Amino acid sequence: MTFFPSLAYLVVFIFGLIFGSFFNVLIHRIPKSIQSPKKESLFSAISFPKSYCPKCKKGLFVVHNLPIISWLFLLGKCYFCKAKISIRYPLVELFSGFIFLFCFWQYGMTAEFFLWLIFFSILLILFFIDLETFFLPDCLTIPLLLIGIFKSLLYPLPIDPINAIVGGLVGFFALFITNAIYKFWKGIDGFGFGDFKLLAALGAWFGATLIIPIIVVGALVALLAVGLLSFVGKRLNLQTMIPFGPALITATIIIYFNPDIL
Ligand SMILES: [Zn+2]
C-alpha cells in the first residue's frame, strides 16, 4: 500500500472516532429529550448544553473529550468527581471508527459510501439506546427507512424501489402480526412498536426475503444473550423485559457479513 491511501484511511478512521463521540451524545440525549416533560426540540436537546459528566454535571474540557484517549488517560473515571464513565463511550467511538473505515474501504468516496455510513451509524446509535432505555426512537428508525428507499432509487441493485417498499411493509407487518397473535394469547405486547419500525427499515435496505432470516437469527441472538446473562448470575424470568432491537441489529450485521449462512 502506498503512503497516500494509508493516510486517507487514517484520516477516515479519526473522523469515525470523532463522530463516535457525537454518537455517544446522541445515545445519552435523544431518550432524555423524548422523556423530558418540557418538550424541547430534538436539535436543542442534542446541541446544548456542552458535554458534561452525567454524575457531577461539570462541563468537560476539550482534553477530556478526545475519543478513546481521554477515557484511557482518565482510567474510565470523571476528571472532577471520579465517577465511573461507562465503557460504552470508548466502545461506541471505536465501533464508529471501524464503520467509517469499512465503508471507505468498501465504497471509496462515493454517494454509496455516505449512505452506508449513515445506515451503520444509525444502527450503532439505536443498538445502545435500546439496550439502555428500551427505546427505538422514531427520529432514527423513520429516517433509516426513508434513506433505505432513497438508496434503492439511487442504486436499484440489488434492491430496487419496489423491493425496498415491499421489504418495508413485510418488515413492519411480520412483527406486527406476531405481536397481535401474542397479545391475543397472553394479553400483553411481546414487542414494542419501535421493533416494527426498525424491521421495516431493515426491509427497505435488504428487501423482503431477508426479513424472516433477520427475525430468526435475532431470536437466536436474544436466546444466547439471555443464556449468557443467566450464566453470569443475572436473575431472569419470563416477565423480564429484554430489548429485541440490539438482537435484530446484531442479526443484521451477522447476515450482512456472512450471507452464506442463509
Ligand atoms: Zn463527574
Side-chain angles (χ1 to χ4, degrees), residues 9-262:
Y9 278 97
L10 182 67
V11 171
V12 166
F13 184 65
I14 291 172
F15 260 97
L17 296 181
I18 295 168
F19 270 87
S21 284
F22 175 61
F23 298 159
N24 272 315
V25 173
L26 296 180
I27 292 166
H28 183 69
R29 292 190 187 166
I30 288 176
K32 280 202 161 32
S33 85
I34 294 171
Q35 288 162 309
S36 144
K38 48 183 196 239
K39 287 271 163 251
E40 53 184 339
S41 80
L42 197 62
F43 180 75
S44 77
I46 59 178
S47 29
F48 308 102
K50 69 185 190 94
S51 297
Y52 59 88
C53 161
K55 185 99 184 284
C56 68
K57 313 279 186 234
K58 284 215 170 78
L60 298 178
F61 299 132
V62 175
V63 287
H64 304 140
N65 246 335
L66 300 176
I68 304 187
I69 299 165
S70 299
W71 191 88
L72 291 175
F73 265 94
L74 296 168
L75 301 168
K77 295 190 188 95
C78 168
Y79 174 73
F80 301 103
C81 70
K82 305 290 174 224
K84 254 188 99 179
I85 302 169
S86 166
I87 183 93
R88 187 254 286 163
Y89 285 86
L91 266 186
V92 166
E93 287 158 357
L94 209 56
F95 276 130
S96 171
F98 285 122
I99 287 172
F100 275 59
L101 264 189
F102 171 75
C103 292
F104 184 58
W105 172 71
Q106 188 81 337
Y107 301 105
M109 266 302 150
T110 57
E112 212 171 3
F113 163 76
F114 289 100
L115 291 168
W116 284 102
L117 204 60
I118 296 170
F119 173 78
F120 286 114
S121 300
I122 292 182
L123 287 192
L124 176 65
I125 298 166
L126 283 172
F127 182 98
F128 284 97
I129 290 184
D130 198 19
L131 200 64
E132 292 176 6
T133 66
F134 298 92
F135 265 122
L136 288 167
D138 285 351
C139 64
L140 293 170
T141 52
I142 305 292
L144 190 65
L145 170 77
L146 297 177
I147 297 166
I149 294 169
F150 176 70
K151 185 196 130 279
S152 72
L153 292 165
L154 219 55
Y155 298 96
L157 283 174
I159 307 298
D160 63 31
I162 302 291
N163 201 347
I165 290 167
V166 172
L169 289 170
V170 171
F172 186 87
F173 285 106
L175 273 193
F176 184 86
I177 293 168
T178 311
N179 185 61
I181 296 169
Y182 186 85
K183 197 168 180 176
F184 179 73
W185 175 44
K186 290 266 186 179
I188 48 163
D189 283 305
F191 300 97
F193 271 74
D195 294 323
F196 313 155
K197 292 171 201 160
L198 172 62
L199 208 55
L202 294 174
W205 280 81
F206 296 109
T209 49
L210 275 199
I211 293 299
I212 300 296
I214 289 174
I215 296 177
V216 171
V217 176
L220 291 175
V221 169
L223 275 177
L224 198 67
V226 169
L228 279 174
L229 283 174
S230 34
F231 184 72
V232 297
K234 279 253 187 192
R235 292 173 64 90
L236 299 166
N237 60 40
L238 283 175
Q239 270 70 49
T240 310
M241 280 244 296
I242 56 158
F244 197 42
L248 288 175
I249 290 167
T250 308
T252 305
I253 302 300
I254 291 173
I255 292 171
Y256 180 91
F257 285 104
N258 306 279
D260 303 338
I261 62 167
L262 302 179

